[in-house]
Amino acid sequence: MGSYLMLFAIVIIIIIMSASSELITKPPITNYHHMQMIMQWHPTFCGRPDKPCKPSAKMSDFPIHGLWPGNATGHTPFTCTVPPNPKTVEKVWLNDRSLKNFLGLYWPSLEARWTDEMLWKHEWAKHGYCTSEIVPDVEYFNGAITSARRLINMLKTLKEGKMGPTNHKAYTVTDMKTFISEKVLKDKNIDVYISCERASSSYVLLNQIHFCLDKSLNTFISCPKSTATRGCGRGNVRNLIFPTR
């Protein structure tokens, strides 16, 4: 009788271990609504005293911050609940020198304490792994670069349209979003999000622009309607500074 109980206990343990293994290896979500590619403005990011930047962070355009799954209300609450070992994703750029060069150009780490590779691993482990049943790791990084290259002239377009960086003029968030839709994406029906950092009681600083993509990273789509202000306040108030430093 004791041997039967022992055998039964071993079988139960094997079943539990198999179930646990499946939980660890299975990506957690497929029910996200879209992907958000967040492009950050480095003078605002590097203006934070708690995040010293590298001297090389003086860039001529918007670098990628991250590529995150979003829900139908426009938020990005998804974080990989069972993160894998980030080292497993290194093969993506170690096996493709061209991709690594593009990642360094479009997705650099601005913070002095992080290497580029540390940032890529962090973003994939926190956000990219969650979506890997639909967008595997290679497509995740290649999709980010492809989308960023489609936005390569964004800063130039903003400057030419008199919506460029200046410390002496304030814009409205609504005007900035409309301009980006019409002149950068060339489709007034594609909405974007803007997030801000508080500068004073009267003004906010342009921090990031959120571009929404379909779940396969093939097409820019309109971001879902959302009541979130993302730190920018009312969209029709002329309080948005697009800082030069």
Side-chain angles (χ1 to χ4, degrees):
M1 183 69 177
S3 60
Y4 284 115
L5 289 175
M6 179 66 72
L7 179 61
F8 179 75
I10 292 172
V11 170
I12 293 298
I13 290 171
I14 291 172
I15 292 172
I16 292 173
M17 290 179 66
S18 298
S20 299
S21 176
E22 183 178 355
L23 287 175
I24 291 172
T25 58
K26 184 178 180 181
I29 67 167
T30 58
N31 63 334
Y32 58 100
H33 176 267
H34 64 279
M35 295 290 281
Q36 287 185 30
M37 190 172 73
I38 292 86
M39 309 295 286
Q40 62 186 347
W41 183 236
H42 54 93
T44 301
F45 180 85
C46 294
R48 302 173 180 176
D50 61 324
K51 294 184 181 291
C53 286
K54 301 171 184 174
S56 59
K58 298 177 181 178
M59 302 179 63
S60 60
D61 218 316
F62 291 80
I64 301 171
H65 174 186
L67 185 60
W68 308 339
N71 65 20
T73 64
H75 291 82
T76 55
F78 302 108
T79 297
C80 300
T81 54
V82 189
N85 179 357
K87 280 187 172 295
T88 62
V89 81
E90 288 181 342
K91 67 181 186 300
V92 171
W93 52 82
L94 292 179
N95 293 338
D96 189 338
R97 175 59 60 178
S98 176
L99 174 59
K100 184 174 183 180
N101 290 339
F102 280 126
L103 287 169
L105 180 63
Y106 292 103
W107 201 343
S109 170
L110 302 181
E111 289 192 65
R113 65 190 179 97
W114 280 26
T115 65
D116 291 352
E117 289 83 356
M118 289 169 62
L119 174 63
W120 304 335
K121 290 177 190 176
H122 167 80
E123 289 295 322
W124 179 77
K126 187 174 181 181
H127 303 290
Y129 177 69
C130 298
T131 66
S132 55
E133 284 192 352
I134 296 175
V135 181
D137 50 15
V138 174
E139 283 81 358
Y140 176 80
F141 288 101
N142 274 301
I145 296 307
T146 298
S147 299
R149 294 183 73 180
R150 292 167 63 187
L151 302 172
I152 193 169
N153 292 319
M154 178 163 61
L155 185 59
K156 178 183 177 182
T157 302
L158 286 164
K159 289 178 177 178
E160 291 176 347
K162 310 301 182 186
M163 296 288 288
T166 173
N167 296 324
H168 308 292
K169 175 184 176 182
Y171 306 103
T172 72
V173 173
T174 299
D175 286 347
M176 182 65 71
K177 290 167 62 175
T178 299
F179 185 90
I180 292 170
S181 296
E182 294 182 352
K183 303 301 181 182
V184 176
L185 295 177
K186 301 187 185 306
D187 188 336
K188 65 180 181 180
N189 295 313
I190 298 181
D191 293 326
V192 301
Y193 300 137
I194 289 178
S195 63
C196 303
E197 291 282 340
R198 175 63 59 180
S200 69
S201 59
S202 302
Y203 295 99
V204 295
L205 304 178
L206 175 66
N207 184 33
Q208 298 181 140
I209 302 173
H210 302 227
F211 293 89
C212 294
L213 293 152
D214 64 26
K215 293 170 74 169
S216 298
L217 307 181
N218 292 321
T219 306
F220 286 114
I221 63 173
S222 186
C223 294
K225 297 296 182 184
S226 174
T227 58
T229 63
R230 294 173 172 78
C232 297
R234 293 170 56 192
N236 59 351
V237 176
R238 195 167 294 278
N239 69 336
L240 178 67
I241 301 294
F242 186 177
T244 59
R245 59 183 182 277

